[in-house]
C-alpha cells in the first residue's frame, strides 16, 4: 500500500538542530495529512506536529517556536526542522501519513507509520 521511510535522526547537544525527513511511496492516490509523533521511554506516544495537504499546521505546545513542519507534495515527503533542541526532546520520532491509495479501479483510505528514528539530545 503506502510505505514511509524516515531519516535524519541522531545525537546532538542541547541547543543544536536536526532535520528529519519522511518519504512516502507506493500506490498513492492522495495524502491528506502527514505528521510526526514521538515516544520517549516510559511515556505514551505524543503528537509533535502535523501538516495538511493545504499547508495547515498544528504543533504540540512543547515544540512551538522551535520546530517547523513542512512538506513537498510533489515528492510525498514531510520534514521536521528541529531547532534549540532540549534533552526532553529525546525520543523515537515516528512519521505518520493518512490518505488514499489506488486499489484496482478504486481508492481506499490508508494510515501508515514509519519505523521510527532515534533523536537523542545530550545536556
Amino acid at each position: 500500500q503506502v510505505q514511509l521511510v524516515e531519516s535524519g535522526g541522531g545525537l546532538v547537544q542541547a541547543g543544536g538542530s536536526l532535520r528529519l525527513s519522511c518519504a512516502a511511496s507506493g500506490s498513492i492516490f492522495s495524502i491528506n495529512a502527514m505528521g510526526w509523533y514521538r515516544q520517549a521511554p516510559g511515556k505514551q506516544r505524543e503528537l509533535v506536529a502535523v501538516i495538511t495537504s493545504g499547508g495547515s499546521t498544528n504543533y504540540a505546545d512543547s515544540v512551538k517556536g522551535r520546530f517547523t513542519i513542512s512538506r513537498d507534495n510533489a515528492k510525498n515527503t514531510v520534514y521536521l526542522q528541529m531547532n534549540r533542541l532540549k534533552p526532553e526532546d529525546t525520543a523515537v520520532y515516528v512519521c505518520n501519513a493518512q490518505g488514499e491509495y489506488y486499489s484496482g479501479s478504486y481508492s481506499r483510505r490508508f494510515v501508515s507509520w514509519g519505523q521510527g528514528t532515534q533523536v537523542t539530545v545530550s545536556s
Side-chain angles (χ1 to χ4, degrees):
Q1 298 176 4
V2 179
Q3 297 78 39
L4 303 179
V5 177
E6 301 129 329
S7 60
L11 173 65
V12 65
Q13 289 188 334
S17 298
L18 283 174
R19 188 189 193 213
L20 306 182
S21 300
C22 172
S25 63
S27 302
I28 299 170
F29 177 77
S30 64
I31 299 180
N32 300 325
M34 300 187 80
W36 290 93
Y37 290 72
R38 67 186 181 187
Q39 187 164 16
K43 294 187 177 181
Q44 290 187 334
R45 181 175 291 186
E46 63 173 353
L47 174 68
V48 177
V50 64
I51 185 168
T52 68
S53 58
S56 297
T57 59
N58 190 36
Y59 295 91
D61 288 341
S62 59
V63 307
K64 284 181 180 177
R66 300 187 298 123
F67 291 11
T68 301
I69 190 170
S70 61
R71 66 187 281 179
D72 184 332
N73 291 330
K75 295 181 178 180
N76 291 323
T77 299
V78 64
Y79 307 95
L80 185 68
Q81 178 66 44
M82 305 184 292
N83 298 328
R84 292 184 282 136
L85 283 160
K86 304 176 181 179
E88 50 263 45
D89 293 319
T90 295
V92 175
Y93 284 69
V94 185
C95 178
N96 170 271
Q98 303 177 39
E100 296 183 4
Y101 68 97
Y102 288 105
S103 178
S105 300
Y106 305 95
S107 63
R108 297 183 183 275
R109 292 183 178 181
F110 75 87
V111 178
S112 292
W113 295 90
Q115 78 284 359
T117 185
Q118 178 69 45
V119 171
T120 302
V121 185
S122 63
S123 58

